[in-house]
């Protein structure tokens, strides 16, 4: 089989097409014929050498979390799926034995990790991590869901967003930002989001963004959000200085979920404002398999249409990462092996 492998951790020019043996399933496993695999900033960080989980000793490395396709073969003991089933993978990898796995939710697992290997013609996965796709959900749509949409959905749950609430999404044109807007809209919440690009903001407004702010300046953003209203919840995938911005606009007792570090891995915050305002900062990683199942259901019943910017062949995987690196896109970039 062919795979798009990282042969060097130097950015998009480090992607090479390699040939590997087609995997066979072990006990509890399935082999999926990959029809679509979305890429994420998590993958780009690896490719740029900005991830502690992969180094030169691991090369060539095949990434790809968001796998959708058709089951080709199953291993011993697998009963949940069978060859021919259309599926999407929940990329969560958990130990199943720690206190957090026992008590849940699963993404609290002390040994939590993520599947990699979807940027290939076939992927060997844990069969019990596969979610069935109804006939009305195509594999490109499904591949958009596991990372960006599952993460945003779980964050909205963590901040307890509901009808009539105002949710602030800095960096709203990124994958998690777009997903957060669409899902908040489905929940009946209003959103206010920021970007440096008016064209991108216009795109996201067409997807449900209620209030657009064209700025990356923290002081301008604070003032503009205050003019909109008091924020009930914040979806923060940027980190850096935007964590304090989120706290500044958050109402007393409000909640901010943090899932990323695109703008910086550390944040300096005003501690008195945090405790005097009874505000909550909540770490959030991915979501649960139940979240993914609910998202598939929303797509199936027409309540959600994942935003796809563009699809690429396997040979164009490097080009897809160039587009992500240049921040040219709104919505998901999907490789279709």
């Amino acid at each position: 089989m062919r795979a798009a492998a990282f042969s060097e951790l130097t950015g998009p020019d480090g992607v090479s097409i390699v040939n590997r043996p087609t995997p066979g399933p072990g006990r509890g496993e399935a082999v999926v014929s990959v029809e679509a695999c979305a890429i994420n900033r998590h993958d780009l960080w690896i490719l740029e050498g900005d991830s502690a989980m992969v180094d030169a000793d691991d090369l060539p490395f095949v990434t790809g979390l968001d796998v959708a396709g058709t089951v080709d073969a199953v291993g011993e003991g697998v009963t949940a799926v069978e060859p021919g089933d259309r599926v999407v993978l929940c990329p969560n990898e958990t130990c199943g034995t720690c206190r957090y796995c026992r008590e849940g939710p699963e993404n609290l697992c002390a040994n939590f990790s993520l599947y990699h290997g979807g940027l290939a013609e076939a992927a060997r996965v844990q069969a019990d991590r596969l979610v069935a796709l109804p006939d009305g959900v195509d594999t490109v749509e499904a591949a958009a869901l596991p990372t960006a949409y599952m993460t945003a959905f779980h964050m909205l749950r963590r901040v307890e967003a509901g009808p009539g609430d105002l949710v602030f999404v800095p960096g709203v044109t990124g994958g998690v930002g777009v997903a957060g807007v669409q899902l908040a809209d489905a929940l009946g919440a209003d959103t206010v989001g920021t970007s440096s690009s008016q064209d991108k903001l216009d795109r996201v407004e067409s997807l449900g963004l209620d209030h657009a702010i064209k700025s990356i300046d923290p002081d301008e953003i604070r003032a503009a959000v205050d003019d909109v209203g008091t924020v009930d919840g914040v979806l923060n995938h940027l980190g850096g200085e935007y964590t304090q911005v989120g706290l500044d606009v958050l109402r007393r007792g409000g909640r901010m979920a943090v899932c990323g570090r695109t703008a910086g891995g550390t944040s300096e915050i005003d501690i008195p404002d945090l405790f005097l305002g009874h505000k909550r900062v909540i770490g959030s990683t991915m979501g649960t398999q139940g979240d993914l199942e609910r998202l598939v259901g929303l797509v199936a019943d027409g309540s959600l249409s994942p935003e796809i910017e563009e699809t690429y062949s396997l040979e164009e995987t490097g080009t897809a990462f160039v587009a992500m690196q240049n921040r040219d896109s709104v919505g998901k970039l999907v490789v279709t092996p």
Side-chain angles (χ1 to χ4, degrees):
M1 70 170 188
R2 295 175 308 140
F6 295 171
S7 55
E8 296 180 90
L9 302 181
T10 54
D13 61 352
V15 180
S16 301
I17 302 300
V18 300
N19 287 304
R20 288 186 165 181
T22 300
R27 181 174 179 82
E29 295 178 335
V31 173
V32 175
S33 178
V34 181
E35 298 170 19
C37 181
I39 62 171
N40 298 283
R41 194 151 296 275
H42 169 90
D43 305 308
L44 182 60
W45 285 335
I46 295 173
L47 183 56
E48 293 175 333
D50 189 25
S51 172
M53 65 173 293
V54 177
D55 59 30
D57 293 338
D58 300 308
L59 304 182
F61 181 79
V62 179
T63 192
L65 288 67
D66 297 345
V67 176
T70 302
V71 176
D72 185 59
V74 298
E76 184 180 353
V78 174
T79 59
V81 295
E82 59 185 28
D85 286 352
R86 299 173 62 254
V87 293
V88 62
L89 175 70
C90 177
N92 293 350
E93 292 188 345
T94 57
C95 68
T97 58
C98 73
R99 164 190 171 186
Y100 304 100
C101 282
R102 295 194 305 270
E103 297 178 358
E106 66 187 63
N107 55 339
L108 278 179
C109 174
N111 301 294
F112 185 85
S113 187
L114 293 168
Y115 172 84
H116 298 87
L119 289 177
E121 292 178 315
R124 181 172 59 202
V125 303
Q126 289 297 311
D128 61 4
R129 285 295 181 193
L130 294 172
V131 174
L133 294 180
D135 290 340
V137 181
D138 70 42
T139 51
V140 172
E141 287 181 310
L145 297 176
T147 298
Y149 284 81
M150 192 165 74
T151 296
F153 187 67
H154 198 73
M155 292 173 80
L156 286 164
R157 292 176 61 202
R158 298 302 303 276
V159 303
E160 300 181 9
D165 284 345
L166 181 63
V167 178
F168 173 46
V169 190
V172 75
T173 58
V176 171
V178 171
V181 164
Q182 291 185 278
L183 291 166
D185 187 56
L187 292 170
D190 290 339
T191 48
V192 52
T194 69
S195 173
S196 61
S197 167
Q198 187 61 53
D199 288 342
K200 288 184 179 181
L201 285 170
D202 292 343
R203 283 273 305 276
V204 185
E205 281 187 296
S206 73
L207 299 172
L209 178 65
D210 298 288
H211 307 280
I213 298 170
K214 181 181 178 295
S215 180
I216 58 173
D217 178 78
D219 292 331
E220 290 181 357
I221 292 170
R222 287 186 189 94
V225 174
D226 284 340
D227 286 342
V228 172
T230 302
V231 169
D232 299 286
V234 178
L235 307 188
N236 180 4
H237 66 95
L238 296 181
E241 62 186 339
Y242 295 97
T243 302
Q244 183 59 55
V245 175
L247 284 169
D248 288 339
V249 301
L250 196 61
R251 67 165 172 82
R252 292 178 63 81
R255 300 169 176 84
M256 172 165 55
V258 184
C259 76
R261 58 175 180 86
T262 306
T266 59
S267 298
E268 185 173 315
I269 65 172
D270 182 350
I271 296 298
D273 176 57
L274 179 69
F275 65 76
L276 290 172
H278 299 267
K279 300 176 183 180
R280 306 181 197 181
V281 179
I282 306 163
S284 188
T285 297
M286 296 292 282
T288 67
Q289 191 158 328
D291 292 334
L292 180 57
E293 290 168 353
R294 294 182 186 94
L295 290 168
V296 169
L298 290 175
V299 177
D301 69 19
S303 300
L304 173 66
S305 179
E307 184 69 5
I308 310 298
E309 173 72 22
E310 193 167 349
T311 60
Y312 300 82
S313 69
L314 193 66
E315 289 77 11
E316 295 172 321
T317 300
T319 303
F321 279 113
V322 170
M324 178 172 283
Q325 194 175 55
N326 292 341
R327 304 180 186 276
D328 291 335
S329 57
V330 172
K332 296 299 294 178
L333 308 176
V334 182
V335 175
T336 55

